[in-house]
Amino acid sequence: MNMRKVFKERFINAQKRNLRYLRLLFNDHFVLFLLIAFGGLVLGYREIFKQAEFNWVWHSPVTPFLIAFFLTLVFQIGKLVTYFEPADRLFFLGTDYFIATDYLCYALWSSFCFSMLWQCLAIVSILPIIIKLGELSIIKLITLIAFYLIYKLVILLLEKEQLFQSSRLKMNHMYYLIVYYLIPFLLLGFILSLSSSFFLVLINFFTVVFLLIILMNFRNNHKVSINWKMAIEQAVKHKQLVYQFYATFAEIPQQVKTIKRRRYLDLFLKLITRNQKALYRLYVVRLARDRDILPLLVNILLVGAILILLIPRTTIFLTMGIGLIILYLVTFQLIPLFKDTENTLWTRIIPIDISQRERIFMSLVYRMNLLVSAILVSCNFKNGLHQSITFVIILIAGNLLLSKIYVPHQLQKIKKGYL
Amino acid sequence: MGLNVNNLTGGYSGTTVLNGVNFKVENGEIVALIGLNGAGKSTTINHIIGELQPTSGEISLNGARLADNPTIFKKQIAYIPEQPMLYDELTLSEHLHLMLATHEIDNVQSWKRVEELLNMFRLSDKQHWLPTHFSKGMKQKVMLVAAFMLESPLLIVDEPFLGLDTVAQKDVIQLLKQHASLGNSVLMTTHLLSSAAKFVDRFVVLKDGQVYFTGSAAQLGDRFNLKFNQLDDFFDVFQQVSSYEHA
């Protein structure tokens, strides 16, 4: 069995699927969000170079480590993507060696190429700051890029090793933090602060030696056996993450619903649902334990908050646009919660009629949007009271429009089976 | 020779489920692994198919140890899981071709056997169907065809009768007997003891991750004071016996 062919077929199928979803994505609200977010980021980025209040950036010894922190975050993009499926444990029984030597090697290199794109983009985007810091020699730039890419390859090799039964490396949380965050952060910060070419060459040398040691030690042999449980779990998790990304801006049919207990939220849930209707409690609890919607809401809110913090004071229309888009995205993400709750037989047998269920859901959307608005307004306080009051009025108007017109319209569509 | 499970200790992610399990399935023999829920049946099977790594002990098939070359070892196994596992994107015939290809079996010669099996399970006209169009029983039949067509030295079947109609159940019993008569080993798990007693050579009873009893249907009946037609009550009696012993 040609395992390379199997991987190539799966890779091509996955890219076709991605293209299909990207078409959905770019037809939807994503382009608008992207344009505004990109515009906000560029404006914010430009301010760092123009405004005197950011002068400390160019003289502070902390700056290289701030850059290293940013690069370390981007470093996390691009895990080992295997495209394994649950049925593989049955149909590929007895192909372990070929999977290790052929299939996973292709998976490793394709994952590396994908992550390399992101990493190069990160370095290019941060290059103006590195140049302004001064002392950017060719050797420093080469060391930075070489370390960044080689270390990523090492990480992917370690991820591949984890998929075997007899893995010599059992990653716990501590190892994970050290290998994925601490080492790249410290070494990148070190590279950016160094000016001696000798040390830079030394770092390059040791990085290559490290890679060779890993390559020599993790060679496959006939005793290799795939840990299917872990391999399939990892692949399914990755697939869900990709769907989750698309689901931020478009409806994804293949998304499987998963839940997380989140016991630490119990007390908070009890507090906010006290004296509330049973169905309201149900919506809130389902939202708090949802593995997809809640993290998406938090991500959207975080992106919005960062953008509003970065946008300069003079561009109030941009701030308002971002605020309204964030409210719209939060509402858009909450709709599936209603649909999914309606699809549960339990909801249909409880003695609360549909119009009441809709009203309760609309009040949840309204309150969620109020909470989001409060956070966004607090991020905008740096721009003065006058601008903040305008921002509050705009957000309240947006919230009313969404919860009184958009949400009822969407719920009607769900009732008629169009959504 | 056949399958030899020797002093197997292991389990899932740090939890020990099996504690020194010993049993054999000789060539040409059909052995049923039985026990209450949580006794370790699925864990034992997962160890044999190489999905879990034992903390100690050894598994070998016709003299070849799993630990020495998992790829070669697993190639000698055909496995039918309790829950059917299929690819949404592949048709029935594409699934069977894939299984033959991964086991490096000549397609043209083997396809005659496949057609016989498809006829037997009334799936011949459904070769171009996708799994989404199959009922649960039909999916189980696809699993059975995929396993029996391989004619592997060791066949492992997790609950062979689950989701099958009575006609298909009879066909499965006939196939299992035929498979064993060719000198292959069959290891299965089941809760339907009276049906299994008609064709199983030996029962291996697991309790708390250890082998509690090994013997034929008659010996099992003697040990637990059950007549042949009362074997389906075995688990009730076994639970009572276990709780007395525990007390």
Side-chain angles (χ1 to χ4, degrees):
Chain A
M1 180 84 187
N2 189 342
M3 283 297 162
R4 289 176 193 200
K5 206 176 135 197
V6 174
F7 180 79
K8 274 185 194 168
E9 270 176 24
R10 287 185 176 186
F11 178 78
I12 292 167
N13 285 339
Q15 300 325 311
K16 280 182 187 164
R17 209 167 36 234
N18 279 339
L19 276 177
R20 206 166 58 233
Y21 289 144
L22 280 173
R23 271 204 294 272
L24 273 176
L25 204 65
F26 281 100
N27 280 337
D28 240 310
H29 336 275
F30 188 58
V31 177
L32 187 65
F33 176 77
L34 211 63
L35 282 174
I36 293 179
F38 188 70
L41 271 176
V42 170
L43 276 172
Y45 196 43
R46 203 182 58 168
E47 291 300 301
I48 301 174
F49 294 92
K50 277 175 69 182
Q51 291 200 4
E53 59 186 287
F54 290 112
N55 271 349
W56 64 269
V57 170
W58 317 117
H59 311 292
S60 170
V62 182
T63 309
F65 287 92
L66 286 176
I67 297 170
F69 180 69
F70 166 73
L71 291 177
T72 308
L73 288 183
V74 180
F75 189 74
Q76 310 309 317
I77 301 175
K79 304 274 183 217
L80 181 68
V81 185
T82 60
Y83 307 111
F84 281 137
E85 293 188 36
D88 288 351
R89 66 178 275 242
L90 184 73
F91 284 87
F92 292 153
L93 194 75
T95 56
D96 299 46
Y97 179 70
F98 307 104
I99 285 180
T101 49
D102 295 340
Y103 189 102
L104 285 178
C105 277
Y106 266 76
L108 182 94
W109 285 109
S110 69
S111 306
F112 179 63
C113 290
F114 174 78
S115 58
M116 201 164 73
L117 276 176
W118 281 101
Q119 289 173 312
C120 289
L121 204 66
I123 291 181
V124 169
S125 69
I126 209 82
L127 213 54
I129 296 181
I130 302 175
I131 292 170
K132 183 111 196 247
L133 280 174
E135 295 179 26
L136 178 71
S137 58
I138 290 291
I139 183 84
K140 187 184 262 191
L141 190 64
I142 290 171
T143 309
L144 185 70
I145 296 171
F147 170 77
Y148 207 38
L149 298 183
I150 291 174
Y151 195 75
K152 186 70 197 184
L153 187 59
V154 170
I155 292 285
L156 290 173
L157 277 164
L158 296 181
E159 280 177 18
K160 183 184 156 208
E161 180 65 18
Q162 297 290 303
L163 303 181
F164 300 134
Q165 290 278 12
S166 51
S167 168
R168 281 147 284 191
L169 248 171
K170 295 281 177 219
M171 280 257 193
N172 58 26
H173 275 292
M174 185 62 97
Y175 277 128
Y176 184 83
L177 280 176
I178 293 172
V179 173
Y180 279 76
Y181 290 92
L182 196 65
I183 295 178
F185 170 69
L186 289 177
L187 282 172
L188 285 167
F190 194 51
I191 292 169
L192 288 164
S193 334
L194 274 180
S195 49
S196 156
S197 299
F198 173 72
F199 283 114
L200 289 169
V201 172
L202 211 62
I203 288 176
N204 261 339
F205 174 75
F206 281 118
T207 315
V208 174
V209 169
F210 185 43
L211 175 70
L212 288 176
I213 290 171
I214 296 280
L215 283 173
M216 298 283 278
N217 273 290
F218 292 164
R219 271 190 303 191
N220 303 309
N221 58 37
H222 284 282
K223 288 193 175 184
V224 86
S225 178
I226 304 288
N227 185 341
W228 280 114
K229 189 174 177 282
M230 182 177 258
I232 290 167
E233 261 174 23
Q234 190 242 39
V236 170
K237 200 171 154 189
H238 174 264
K239 206 173 178 179
Q240 280 309 113
L241 271 175
V242 173
Y243 287 157
Q244 224 175 57
F245 168 73
Y246 291 125
T248 319
F249 306 95
E251 188 127 352
I252 300 296
Q254 270 94 339
Q255 214 181 2
V256 182
K257 189 167 172 57
T258 51
I259 58 140
K260 199 173 182 183
R261 176 66 178 84
R262 296 196 180 103
R263 203 179 285 272
Y264 54 88
L265 288 177
D266 283 1
L267 190 68
F268 177 68
L269 290 177
K270 214 173 170 178
L271 280 172
I272 61 165
T273 58
R274 187 182 286 169
N275 303 326
Q276 295 293 339
K277 290 195 166 77
L279 200 59
Y280 184 85
R281 272 207 302 276
L282 175 72
Y283 284 131
V284 173
V285 171
R286 292 198 84 193
L287 177 64
R289 291 179 188 163
D290 194 289
R291 230 184 192 154
D292 303 316
I293 303 175
L294 190 69
L296 275 177
L297 293 182
V298 174
N299 288 349
I300 292 168
L301 184 59
L302 270 176
V303 171
I306 292 169
L307 283 174
I308 285 171
L309 279 171
L310 283 175
I311 291 169
R313 189 181 174 167
T314 45
T315 51
I316 182 169
F317 289 111
L318 197 61
T319 310
M320 285 173 187
I322 286 176
L324 289 174
I325 284 179
I326 297 297
L327 283 192
Y328 172 70
L329 288 174
V330 166
T331 312
F332 178 75
Q333 285 307 327
L334 281 170
I335 302 287
L337 181 71
F338 178 81
K339 193 180 167 187
D340 195 62
T341 312
E342 281 299 303
N343 287 342
T344 310
L345 187 63
W346 189 262
T347 316
R348 280 180 266 152
I349 56 173
I350 52 175
I352 300 174
D353 66 62
I354 180 76
S355 57
Q356 213 179 340
R357 294 206 291 267
E358 286 175 357
R359 269 202 306 278
I360 295 170
F361 181 73
M362 283 187 272
S363 85
L364 172 86
V365 174
Y366 183 73
R367 288 177 205 191
M368 272 301 289
N369 277 342
L370 272 186
L371 177 73
V372 170
S373 304
I375 296 168
L376 295 181
V377 169
S378 66
C379 293
N380 193 48
F381 265 136
K382 66 174 176 41
N383 292 336
L385 189 67
H386 180 70
Q387 207 188 88
S388 294
I389 291 169
T390 319
F391 194 37
V392 168
I393 294 166
I394 291 291
L395 288 181
I396 289 176
N399 190 6
L400 282 170
L401 275 174
L402 285 167
S403 54
K404 303 292 175 202
I405 296 170
Y406 175 74
V407 175
H409 179 66
Q410 292 300 100
L411 299 191
Q412 283 303 314
K413 274 167 98 177
I414 290 173
K415 243 181 1 191
K416 287 177 186 165
Y418 297 146
L419 270 183
Chain B
M1 293 280 260
L3 174 74
N4 194 355
V5 176
N6 190 13
N7 210 17
L8 179 69
T9 300
Y12 299 90
S13 50
T15 312
T16 304
V17 179
L18 305 179
N19 208 345
V21 169
N22 284 295
F23 69 90
K24 278 183 182 177
V25 185
E26 298 291 350
N27 288 333
E29 198 181 22
I30 303 177
V31 170
L33 202 58
I34 59 171
L36 295 167
N37 292 341
K41 302 184 294 290
S42 299
T43 311
T44 307
I45 287 178
N46 281 336
H47 275 289
I48 297 169
I49 63 169
E51 288 225 342
L52 294 172
Q53 200 160 30
T55 39
S56 67
E58 196 179 279
I59 299 164
S60 62
L61 181 60
N62 296 328
R65 286 174 359 119
L66 169 64
D68 289 342
N69 194 328
T71 305
I72 301 277
F73 182 95
K74 290 183 199 174
K75 221 167 235 175
Q76 298 185 73
I77 301 175
Y79 168 53
I80 304 170
E82 191 179 340
Q83 295 294 331
M85 281 189 276
L86 296 165
Y87 300 100
D88 292 339
E89 307 83 7
L90 299 189
T91 62
L92 164 55
S93 67
E94 283 166 344
H95 273 99
L96 302 178
H97 279 296
L98 175 70
M99 189 61 112
L100 289 172
T102 54
H103 283 75
E104 290 167 341
I105 295 171
D106 181 20
N107 265 354
V108 186
Q109 277 183 7
S110 312
W111 202 251
K112 275 190 178 173
R113 168 81 177 141
V114 173
E115 280 173 347
E116 277 173 31
L117 290 165
L118 288 172
N119 275 330
M120 181 183 255
F121 288 110
R122 298 176 298 283
L123 291 171
S124 297
D125 54 337
K126 298 172 180 77
Q127 287 189 47
H128 302 291
W129 286 25
L130 289 168
T132 41
H133 301 124
F134 287 155
S135 67
K136 197 182 168 195
M138 279 159 82
K139 283 182 186 170
Q140 191 65 16
K141 285 178 186 174
V142 178
M143 295 275 95
L144 289 163
V145 173
F148 280 113
M149 71 180 186
L150 297 175
E151 297 179 322
S152 303
L154 173 64
L155 174 65
I156 300 175
V157 201
D158 210 349
E159 296 287 351
F161 308 125
L162 209 72
L164 295 181
D165 54 50
T166 45
V167 180
Q169 282 187 15
K170 280 180 191 158
D171 290 340
V172 171
I173 293 173
Q174 190 199 327
L175 282 170
L176 288 170
K177 281 181 180 171
Q178 197 184 51
H179 191 74
S181 69
L182 294 171
N184 301 310
S185 315
V186 177
L187 175 68
M188 56 179 268
T189 68
T190 185
H191 285 96
L192 302 171
L193 295 205
S194 56
S195 302
K198 291 173 194 160
F199 64 95
V200 162
D201 297 306
R202 260 184 323 122
F203 286 93
V204 174
V205 183
L206 284 181
K207 187 191 164 221
D208 301 332
Q210 287 180 320
V211 175
Y212 181 83
F213 172 84
T214 308
S216 64
Q219 288 168 323
L220 187 75
D222 288 345
R223 170 73 177 77
F224 293 96
N225 290 326
L226 292 165
K227 288 179 188 153
F228 196 81
N229 59 0
Q230 293 176 317
L231 277 175
D232 277 338
D233 297 332
F234 165 77
F235 291 106
D236 296 325
V237 177
F238 183 55
Q239 196 169 17
Q240 281 172 11
V241 171
S242 302
S243 52
Y244 287 142
E245 284 177 356
H246 190 72

